[in-house]
Amino acid sequence: MSSKARRIRNAPGELRVLLSRCDQPGPDGVQVSPGLLPYVDMVLGKNPDIFKLIKILNEQFFGGGVRGYTYVRSNRRKDCFSYTNFTTKIVYLQEFLFSAGLCRSVLVRKLLHEMIHAFLDTSGADRNENSEHGPIFKKEVTRINRLLGCDLMDDSDVSWDRLRVLNLDKLFICNKCGKKVFRVLSRPPGPDDFYPWYESHRERCGGAFILRLNGVV
């Protein structure tokens, strides 16, 4: 029996994740890009070594250019999958990303997403444009998408049924720039939420956040 077969047989808690690692829709309709599969393989299990993955992603996609940032698993916020704090140079990965019920391709995509932010910040990019997913951010996303043959911003691999248990099933998308915000609340982001990016987004984009529940307006 191969080592891979033994791993599958001995890891029943990861069965749902493993079934989602094919190029056809899995039990939840999840479809994972083949370009992501080698990295998904690295973060299976209850306590994956994300630092090994971070090192590989940094070398392969950023030439080792992501420097000075710390990565932590966190339960501090429930309104996003992950986020980067430029001031403290910390990348936060929400604890639910490590759940066996959520396909690990989500973790890989979100990690790459935040590493793009960190890479641009390390490179001296404008922080407002970076945090707002402006042209410099989108250019990096396009570059990595071409290398992986996938779309880092595509959330079709998210099991919304799983997130509904955590009440994180309210997805708002700006109708102008496409910015995504995940919330536990059913009202759109506003000035009273104290989002550091809100005023800048309102001035530079001016779009409205529309609620999409399980991908349906």
Side-chain angles (χ1 to χ4, degrees):
M1 180 182 294
S2 68
S3 60
K4 181 177 181 180
R6 284 195 298 272
R7 185 175 69 216
I8 293 174
R9 188 185 68 178
N10 295 331
E14 287 296 313
L15 180 59
R16 189 171 179 180
V17 176
L18 288 164
L19 288 173
S20 298
R21 286 179 50 255
C22 57
D23 58 1
Q24 297 296 324
D28 296 317
V30 170
Q31 185 169 341
V32 179
S33 167
L36 290 175
L37 293 183
Y39 309 103
V40 172
D41 247 342
M42 295 180 61
V43 287
L44 296 176
K46 189 173 182 179
N47 291 298
D49 185 354
I50 61 169
F51 301 104
K52 179 180 178 180
L53 175 60
I54 289 167
K55 181 178 180 181
I56 289 175
L57 294 178
N58 191 19
E59 292 173 351
Q60 291 187 353
F61 297 101
F62 304 101
V66 182
R67 301 182 300 275
Y69 271 82
T70 301
Y71 301 80
V72 299
R73 291 167 61 160
S74 172
N75 278 319
R76 290 179 57 188
R77 290 174 58 176
K78 298 293 185 182
D79 59 353
C80 61
F81 287 110
S82 57
Y83 63 102
T84 297
N85 187 314
F86 297 139
T87 302
T88 60
K89 293 189 177 297
I90 296 177
V91 172
Y92 293 94
L93 302 170
Q94 298 299 349
E95 194 64 39
F96 58 76
L97 286 172
F98 299 85
S99 166
L102 193 66
C103 185
R104 291 294 165 83
S105 61
V106 182
L107 171 60
V108 175
R109 287 192 305 101
K110 298 305 177 182
L111 181 55
L112 277 167
H113 180 120
E114 302 307 332
M115 290 182 75
I116 290 174
H117 282 306
F119 173 69
L120 290 172
D121 189 53
T122 302
S123 303
D126 179 84
R127 285 183 169 179
N128 285 330
E129 186 178 344
N130 187 1
S131 63
E132 289 295 323
H133 297 166
I136 56 173
F137 179 85
K138 291 177 181 177
K139 182 178 179 180
E140 280 299 299
V141 170
T142 298
R143 178 179 68 85
I144 293 179
N145 283 347
R146 288 172 178 168
L147 293 172
L148 284 172
C150 73
D151 182 359
L152 292 180
M153 309 300 282
D154 179 11
D155 291 322
S156 62
D157 55 355
V158 175
S159 173
W160 293 101
D161 288 338
R162 174 68 182 175
L163 293 184
R164 187 178 295 113
V165 176
L166 303 170
N167 293 324
L168 187 65
D169 61 343
K170 285 80 174 179
L171 168 61
F172 291 85
I173 302 179
C174 177
N175 61 0
K176 283 191 176 182
C177 69
K179 181 179 177 65
K180 296 179 181 179
V181 181
F182 298 87
R183 291 169 61 80
V184 298
L185 303 175
S186 296
R187 64 173 175 77
D192 295 332
D193 293 312
F194 301 105
Y195 285 117
W197 49 262
Y198 182 80
E199 284 301 319
S200 175
H201 176 271
R202 183 181 63 80
E203 294 173 0
R204 299 175 67 175
C205 172
F209 285 95
I210 308 300
L211 174 64
R212 292 176 182 265
L213 187 59
N214 290 343
V216 179
V217 177

